[in-house]
Amino acid sequence: MASNVAPMEEDIVPLTGKPYFSFIIAKSHIGPYYNLELPLRGRCWFPTSEIPITLFRGTKTWKGYYYGDRKFKKFDPSWKDFVRDNKLEVGDACLFELMDVEKGEIKVQILRADIEIENLGLIGNSSANPIQLE
C-alpha cells in the first residue's frame, strides 16, 4: 500500500550515535486505543516521572507526554495524532532516537512494512553495526 506522506519525510537517514529503540507496530499501537507502552530498552533512558516529549519526523513535530510514573510506561493519547498523521500500519517499524532526553526530544524514523530489504543498509552506524529491530 502506498503512503501519502511526502517523499522527503520518508527518507531514511543514518543514526547520530545517540541512544535509540525500535519496535514493530502492532494493532494495539494504532487503534482503537492507540496504546504505546515503551519497550524495556526504551524505558531505561527516561525518568520515572511524567515528562513532556516532542516527536520529530521530517519537518513536523508532535507534542505530548511520557508517563514514566505509572505501571505501564507509555506515551499519552497524543500518540494517536502521530499515528494518524504518519499513516502507521501494522507491521511498520518505528525507530526512536533520543536526541535530548532532558528536553524530551525524540527523532522518529518509520520503516514501512513494504520497504525493500536492500534499503535497510542505509540506516545504523555502519553495516558492521546495524539497527536491530525488536
Side-chain angles (χ1 to χ4, degrees), residues 65-80:
Y65 287 88
Y66 167 71
Y67 296 142
D69 58 348
R70 301 185 182 179
K71 180 178 179 181
F72 298 104
K73 315 299 186 203
K74 62 183 187 174
F75 288 165
D76 76 340
S78 67
W79 165 249
K80 180 178 184 178

Side-chain angles (χ1 to χ4, degrees), residues 23 26-38 72-77 79-80 83:
F23 61 88
K27 188 173 182 177
S28 64
H29 297 134
I30 60 172
Y33 302 109
Y34 297 89
N35 184 25
L36 180 62
E37 183 178 350
L38 268 60
F72 298 104
K73 315 299 186 203
K74 62 183 187 174
F75 288 165
D76 76 340
W79 165 249
K80 180 178 184 178
V83 168

Side-chain angles (χ1 to χ4, degrees), residues 43-86:
R43 286 183 236 157
C44 68
W45 291 296
F46 286 94
T48 56
S49 60
E50 181 179 313
I51 62 166
I53 59 167
T54 304
L55 302 178
F56 296 88
R57 181 161 188 259
T59 59
K60 295 183 181 179
T61 61
W62 294 262
K63 296 205 177 275
Y65 287 88
Y66 167 71
Y67 296 142
D69 58 348
R70 301 185 182 179
K71 180 178 179 181
F72 298 104
K73 315 299 186 203
K74 62 183 187 174
F75 288 165
D76 76 340
S78 67
W79 165 249
K80 180 178 184 178
D81 296 331
F82 183 85
V83 168
R84 288 184 170 176
D85 290 349
N86 289 287

